[in-house]
């Protein structure tokens, strides 16, 4: 399969090349009439012919690249191109090839006029007629307008490609583009018909002098500039986020594509039982009873001293980076009291990957207000799951997580596994890039960690990627098993070695092995052997050199299959399709590259509406140039297929799925945890610039607000 980024880059590059190649003949063809009759005009026509032909070849190349995208990645990767962009080029290209190209060829091969020194009246009249014929041909709107319309179509197609790539999802913009093309072509036809009448005669042409043409060009440029500035101001103004709004007030409500039987059932149920409304604050954990575990986390500023000698101004829980590891047993009632000592923007705690009751989810403006300095907030819930999770602030998370407001959260099984007599090492490893120039750290260390481990010890390393980008990790020195993904145990995991582990931003892998008699080293694949964790029988030794090119571990075919609660053949109650693109535009008044969902950014992204108990399917399509680790709060998704190929190994349950460029995933879950849940890219900078949507259960409301005039900025 071709590399998506390379193929899509070539495809987009062809739009720019075509725009340039059509612009040159579009400007040159209208000046042919002013060239001297004979060889000079024919020569200019030949150059215009060649440039126009080259532009038509590039347009054919666009169709070729579109076909390759279709063959390699499917219909959804070319839908907007085929229905939106390419027709704007196709129609003018066909007319240009059939009408303009033959006329240019005739003009370029026409024999020059030879005027005799002594001309009789009849011969002079014949020369004037031939000169008129040349100029009529050179000024013909049938030759000029298709070429200029092709240039206009190329401009519109390139604009839509880079400004509005999901054009078929916004049909009003497509209609505007076609309106501009048709109106522009009509205006050009009228203009060039008048020019043909004016200049299509024999004799000396009286072309406007240079100063007049300069003033005309300046006027057109100023007019275009004024229109562009006005449009940019309007776009900037419309991009400003509301000063205050509810997270439930998305402008786009998506109910999913329901099957006919599901529609009938939903309508019948709706008529029989009116929807009961409930506030997210009522969807809480147990508010009474003595907790089994209590923790107190104080959010505060602190200076972090790293082993390398770097000192970083950080945001911390309890003055630590990462925050203290919270370790509990499955089934225990946990109580965590969050205090904010001195972080003026406010803080929260989100339990990443844990399906807590909605009120305990820790999202500012959705499930609670941000905790300001001097305030406290209490979280209470029963740990129903076991596995590896982590916690972090969900207030200005792109900044606060970057600065250190995060920590590991481990829930051990209620019933211990393995031999109780065997020695064990259960260690969490938090991969994170700390802001302030600190770089990549592992458990807050930016050097080589060494630990003594007795051979034969059963080792479980809980790998947590708390960074906003995928982490590629290598484990050298032993074979191992990937025992769990995102807190979900793998059924009968295979023993593997010499594979790179790709962790999504926010994702977790548990790897297990029996400690050998030699050293074991784990580190980021691109790091040197001076960074990472070295386990050895005596706690010393040198880390091995990492392999640069190892195959990437594939969870889609790992482990043994089990009976699934639903699969690709299941009839789903809701079916959501989510297309990820990148486009140039404004977000909250700032011009930037926007990472969009179905062509929109928050709060215009889809609000996915569901009812409790429904089966929900989602399809992720990444047509952009970066990974998007999609994190659904409050639920775990079963991965059904990747790039159209069903998963075959152990059931792959995840809460943070890395969707790489050119990848398409189908996932499903049961809507069994009522509330208002974020579903966003866990590249937190993408989320902060609008790559956020929500899953809302019918009847659920939130009393909290987000916006500049509130205390809540969840991203």
């Amino acid at each position: 399969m071709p590399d998506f980024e390379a193929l899509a880059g070539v495809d987009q590059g062809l739009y720019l090349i075509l725009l340039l190649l059509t612009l040159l003949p579009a400007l040159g063809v209208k000046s042919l009439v002013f060239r001297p009759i004979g060889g000079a005009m024919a020569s200019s026509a030949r150059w215009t012919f060649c440039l126009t032909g080259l532009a038509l070849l590039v347009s054919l190349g666009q169709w070729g690249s579109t076909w390759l995208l279709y063959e390699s990645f499917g219909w959804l990767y070319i839908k907007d191109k085929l229905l939106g962009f390419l027709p704007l080029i196709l129609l003018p290209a066909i007319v240009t090839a059939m009408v303009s190209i033959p006329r240019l060829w005739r003009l370029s091969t026409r024999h020059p006029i030879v005027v005799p020194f002594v001309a009789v009246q009849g011969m002079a009249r014949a020369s004037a007629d031939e000169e008129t014929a040349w100029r009529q041909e050179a000024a013909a709107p049938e030759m000029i307008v298709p070429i200029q319309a092709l240039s206009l179509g190329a401009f519109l197609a390139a604009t839509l490609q880079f400004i509005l790539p999901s054009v078929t999802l916004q049909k009003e913009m497509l209609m505007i583009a076609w309106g501009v093309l048709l109106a522009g072509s009509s205006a050009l036809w009228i203009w060039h018909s008048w020019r043909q009448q004016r200049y299509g005669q024999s004799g000396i042409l009286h072309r406007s002098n240079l100063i007049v043409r300069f003033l005309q060009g300046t006027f057109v440029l100023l007019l275009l500039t004024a229109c562009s500035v006005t449009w940019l101001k309007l776009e900037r103004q419309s991009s400003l986020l509301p000063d205050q709004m509810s997270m439930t007030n998305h402008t786009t409500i998506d109910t999913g594509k329901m099957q006919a039987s599901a529609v009938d059932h939903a309508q019948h149920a709706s008529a029989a039982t009116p929807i009961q409304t409930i506030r997210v604050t009522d969807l809480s954990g147990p508010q009474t009873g003595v907790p089994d575990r209590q923790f107190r986390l104080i959010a505060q500023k602190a200076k972090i001293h790293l082993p390398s000698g770097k000192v970083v101004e950080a945001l911390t829980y309890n003055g630590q980076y990462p925050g203290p590891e919270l370790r509990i047993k499955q089934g225990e009632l946990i109580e965590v009291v969050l205090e904010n000592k001195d972080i003026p923007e406010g803080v929260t705690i989100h339990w990443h990957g844990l399906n807590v009751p909605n009120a305990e989810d820790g999202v500012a403006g959705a499930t609670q207000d941000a905790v300001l300095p001097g305030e406290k907030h209490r979280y209470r819930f029963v740990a129903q799951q076991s596995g590896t999770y982590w916690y972090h602030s969900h207030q200005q998370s792109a900044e606060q997580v970057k600065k250190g407001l995060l920590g590991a959260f481990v829930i051990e099984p209620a019933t211990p596994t393995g031999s109780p007599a065997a020695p064990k090492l259960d260690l969490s490893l938090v991969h994170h890039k700390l802001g302030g120039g600190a770089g990549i750290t592992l458990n807050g260390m930016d050097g080589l960690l060494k630990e003594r481990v007795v051979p034969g010890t059963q080792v479980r390393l809980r790998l947590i990627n708390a960074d906003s980008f995928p982490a590629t990790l290598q484990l050298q020195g032993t074979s191992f098993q990937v025992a769990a993904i995102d807190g979900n145990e793998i059924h009968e995991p295979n023993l593997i070695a010499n594979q790179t582990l790709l962790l999504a931003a926010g994702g977790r892998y548990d790897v297990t092995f029996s400690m050998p008699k030699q050293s074991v080293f784990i580190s980021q694949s691109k790091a040197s052997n001076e960074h990472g964790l070295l386990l050895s029988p005596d706690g010393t030794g040198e880390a091995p050199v990492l392999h640069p090119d190892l195959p990437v571990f594939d969870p889609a075919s790992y482990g043994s299959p089990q009976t699934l609660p639903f699969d690709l053949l299941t009839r789903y109650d809701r079916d959501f399709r989510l297309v990820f693109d990148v486009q140039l535009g404004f977000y909250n008044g700032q011009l930037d590259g926007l990472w969009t969902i179905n062509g929109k950014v928050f709060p215009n992204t889809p609000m996915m509406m569901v009812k409790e108990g429904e089966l929900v399917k989602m399809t992720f399509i990444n047509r952009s140039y970066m990974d998007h680790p999609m994190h659904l709060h409050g639920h775990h998704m079963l991965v059904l297929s990747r790039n159209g190929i069903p998963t075959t190994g152990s059931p792959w349950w995840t809460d943070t799925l890395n969707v790489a460029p050119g990848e398409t995933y189908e996932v499903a879950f049961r809507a069994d945890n009522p509330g208002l849940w974020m579903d966003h890219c866990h590249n937190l900078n993408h989320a902060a610039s609008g790559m956020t949507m929500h899953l809302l259960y019918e009847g659920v409301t939130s009393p909290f607000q987000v916006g500049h005039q509130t205390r809540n900025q969840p991203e």
Side-chain angles (χ1 to χ4, degrees), residues 84 137 174 178 189 247 256 289 327 347 379 405 410-411 450 491 555 596 613 618 639 662 710:
E137 186 80 10
L174 186 56
W178 274 104
W189 185 272
M247 283 283 209
R327 190 173 283 252
V347 295
Y379 301 92
L405 278 177
V410 176
I411 306 175
K450 296 183 179 182
H491 181 237
T596 62
M618 295 194 296
V639 181
T710 73

Short mmCIF file of all heavy atoms in Angstrom, two decimals, residues 84 137 174 178 189 247 256 289 327 347 379 405 410-411 450 491 555 596 613 618 639 662 710:
data_model
loop_
_atom_site.label_atom_id
_atom_site.label_comp_id
_atom_site.label_asym_id
_atom_site.label_seq_id
_atom_site.Cartn_x
_atom_site.Cartn_y
_atom_site.Cartn_z
N GLY A 84 -16.49 17.21 -5.18
CA GLY A 84 -16.36 18.62 -4.87
C GLY A 84 -15.33 19.37 -5.67
O GLY A 84 -15.64 20.36 -6.33
N GLU A 137 -9.47 35.50 -34.74
CA GLU A 137 -9.12 34.22 -34.16
C GLU A 137 -8.40 34.40 -32.82
O GLU A 137 -8.68 33.70 -31.84
CB GLU A 137 -8.22 33.44 -35.13
CG GLU A 137 -7.89 32.03 -34.70
CD GLU A 137 -9.01 31.05 -34.98
OE1 GLU A 137 -9.97 31.43 -35.69
OE2 GLU A 137 -8.95 29.92 -34.48
N LEU A 174 -20.09 24.40 -1.64
CA LEU A 174 -19.91 23.85 -2.98
C LEU A 174 -20.78 24.60 -3.98
O LEU A 174 -20.35 24.88 -5.11
CB LEU A 174 -20.26 22.37 -2.97
CG LEU A 174 -19.99 21.59 -4.25
CD1 LEU A 174 -18.54 21.72 -4.66
CD2 LEU A 174 -20.37 20.13 -4.09
N TRP A 178 -19.54 26.71 -7.34
CA TRP A 178 -20.07 26.55 -8.69
C TRP A 178 -20.69 27.85 -9.19
O TRP A 178 -20.60 28.19 -10.39
CB TRP A 178 -21.10 25.42 -8.72
CG TRP A 178 -20.47 24.08 -8.92
CD1 TRP A 178 -20.26 23.12 -7.97
CD2 TRP A 178 -19.92 23.58 -10.14
NE1 TRP A 178 -19.63 22.04 -8.52
CE2 TRP A 178 -19.41 22.29 -9.86
CE3 TRP A 178 -19.82 24.08 -11.43
CZ2 TRP A 178 -18.80 21.51 -10.83
CZ3 TRP A 178 -19.21 23.29 -12.39
CH2 TRP A 178 -18.71 22.02 -12.10
N TRP A 189 -17.02 35.68 -20.81
CA TRP A 189 -17.52 35.57 -22.18
C TRP A 189 -18.01 36.92 -22.68
O TRP A 189 -17.72 37.32 -23.82
CB TRP A 189 -18.66 34.54 -22.22
CG TRP A 189 -19.13 34.30 -23.62
CD1 TRP A 189 -20.08 34.98 -24.32
CD2 TRP A 189 -18.63 33.30 -24.51
NE1 TRP A 189 -20.24 34.48 -25.57
CE2 TRP A 189 -19.35 33.44 -25.74
CE3 TRP A 189 -17.66 32.32 -24.41
CZ2 TRP A 189 -19.10 32.61 -26.82
CZ3 TRP A 189 -17.42 31.49 -25.50
CH2 TRP A 189 -18.13 31.65 -26.68
N MET A 247 -21.75 22.98 27.31
CA MET A 247 -21.14 21.94 26.47
C MET A 247 -22.18 21.17 25.68
O MET A 247 -21.85 20.52 24.69
CB MET A 247 -20.35 20.96 27.36
CG MET A 247 -19.02 21.49 27.83
SD MET A 247 -17.78 21.43 26.55
CE MET A 247 -16.30 21.24 27.53
N GLY A 256 -26.88 9.72 14.35
CA GLY A 256 -26.39 8.47 13.79
C GLY A 256 -27.34 7.92 12.75
O GLY A 256 -28.49 8.31 12.64
N GLY A 289 -20.86 6.24 53.09
CA GLY A 289 -20.02 5.07 53.32
C GLY A 289 -18.57 5.46 53.52
O GLY A 289 -18.10 6.47 52.99
N ARG A 327 -2.56 3.69 43.89
CA ARG A 327 -2.69 2.25 43.67
C ARG A 327 -3.75 1.70 44.60
O ARG A 327 -3.65 1.86 45.83
CB ARG A 327 -1.36 1.54 43.87
CG ARG A 327 -1.34 0.07 43.42
CD ARG A 327 0.07 -0.49 43.51
NE ARG A 327 0.92 -0.05 42.41
CZ ARG A 327 1.32 -0.83 41.40
NH1 ARG A 327 0.89 -2.09 41.34
NH2 ARG A 327 2.11 -0.38 40.47
N VAL A 347 -7.97 23.95 38.37
CA VAL A 347 -7.54 22.60 38.01
C VAL A 347 -8.71 21.63 38.19
O VAL A 347 -9.73 21.96 38.80
CB VAL A 347 -6.36 22.13 38.89
CG1 VAL A 347 -5.12 22.96 38.63
CG2 VAL A 347 -6.73 22.15 40.36
N TYR A 379 -13.83 13.69 44.87
CA TYR A 379 -14.22 12.64 43.93
C TYR A 379 -14.43 11.35 44.71
O TYR A 379 -13.59 10.95 45.52
CB TYR A 379 -13.13 12.41 42.87
CG TYR A 379 -12.78 13.63 42.04
CD1 TYR A 379 -11.75 14.49 42.43
CD2 TYR A 379 -13.46 13.91 40.86
CE1 TYR A 379 -11.42 15.60 41.66
CE2 TYR A 379 -13.13 15.02 40.09
CZ TYR A 379 -12.11 15.86 40.50
OH TYR A 379 -11.78 16.96 39.75
N LEU A 405 0.83 18.25 35.43
CA LEU A 405 -0.32 17.85 36.25
C LEU A 405 -0.84 16.50 35.78
O LEU A 405 -1.85 16.39 35.06
CB LEU A 405 -1.42 18.91 36.20
CG LEU A 405 -1.23 20.10 37.14
CD1 LEU A 405 -2.34 21.13 36.94
CD2 LEU A 405 -1.20 19.66 38.60
N VAL A 410 -3.21 2.94 39.25
CA VAL A 410 -3.19 1.50 39.05
C VAL A 410 -4.27 0.85 39.91
O VAL A 410 -4.36 1.12 41.11
CB VAL A 410 -1.82 0.89 39.39
CG1 VAL A 410 -1.85 -0.63 39.27
CG2 VAL A 410 -0.74 1.49 38.49
N ILE A 411 -5.08 0.00 39.29
CA ILE A 411 -6.11 -0.75 40.01
C ILE A 411 -5.76 -2.23 39.89
O ILE A 411 -5.84 -2.81 38.80
CB ILE A 411 -7.51 -0.48 39.44
CG1 ILE A 411 -7.80 1.03 39.41
CG2 ILE A 411 -8.57 -1.20 40.25
CD1 ILE A 411 -9.11 1.40 38.76
N LYS A 450 18.26 2.79 36.81
CA LYS A 450 18.76 1.43 37.00
C LYS A 450 18.09 0.81 38.22
O LYS A 450 17.89 1.47 39.24
CB LYS A 450 20.28 1.42 37.17
CG LYS A 450 21.05 1.91 35.95
CD LYS A 450 22.55 1.82 36.15
CE LYS A 450 23.31 2.29 34.90
NZ LYS A 450 24.78 2.17 35.06
N HIS A 491 -6.39 -11.86 25.90
CA HIS A 491 -6.66 -13.28 26.02
C HIS A 491 -5.54 -14.09 25.37
O HIS A 491 -5.28 -13.96 24.17
CB HIS A 491 -8.00 -13.62 25.35
CG HIS A 491 -8.36 -15.07 25.45
ND1 HIS A 491 -8.62 -15.85 24.36
CD2 HIS A 491 -8.49 -15.87 26.54
CE1 HIS A 491 -8.92 -17.07 24.75
NE2 HIS A 491 -8.85 -17.12 26.07
N PRO A 555 -1.69 -4.95 17.56
CA PRO A 555 -2.72 -5.50 18.46
C PRO A 555 -3.91 -6.09 17.72
O PRO A 555 -4.71 -6.82 18.32
CB PRO A 555 -3.14 -4.28 19.29
CG PRO A 555 -2.79 -3.10 18.46
CD PRO A 555 -1.58 -3.49 17.67
N THR A 596 -9.92 19.20 11.95
CA THR A 596 -11.38 19.23 11.94
C THR A 596 -11.98 17.83 12.04
O THR A 596 -11.34 16.83 11.68
CB THR A 596 -11.90 19.89 10.66
OG1 THR A 596 -11.49 19.11 9.52
CG2 THR A 596 -11.36 21.31 10.52
N GLY A 613 -28.33 1.90 26.78
CA GLY A 613 -28.58 0.54 26.33
C GLY A 613 -28.36 0.31 24.86
O GLY A 613 -28.31 -0.83 24.40
N MET A 618 -18.88 3.53 15.57
CA MET A 618 -18.23 4.73 15.05
C MET A 618 -17.16 4.33 14.04
O MET A 618 -16.46 3.33 14.24
CB MET A 618 -17.60 5.55 16.19
CG MET A 618 -18.59 6.13 17.17
SD MET A 618 -17.88 7.40 18.27
CE MET A 618 -16.68 6.45 19.17
N VAL A 639 -12.45 -2.56 18.99
CA VAL A 639 -12.00 -2.32 17.61
C VAL A 639 -12.47 -3.47 16.73
O VAL A 639 -12.11 -4.63 16.96
CB VAL A 639 -10.47 -2.19 17.56
CG1 VAL A 639 -10.02 -1.92 16.12
CG2 VAL A 639 -10.00 -1.06 18.47
N GLY A 662 -4.25 8.22 6.90
CA GLY A 662 -4.63 7.20 5.93
C GLY A 662 -5.30 5.99 6.53
O GLY A 662 -5.66 5.07 5.80
N THR A 710 -16.29 32.51 32.08
CA THR A 710 -16.47 31.50 33.12
C THR A 710 -15.09 31.07 33.61
O THR A 710 -14.06 31.45 33.05
CB THR A 710 -17.23 30.27 32.59
OG1 THR A 710 -16.36 29.51 31.74
CG2 THR A 710 -18.46 30.69 31.79
#
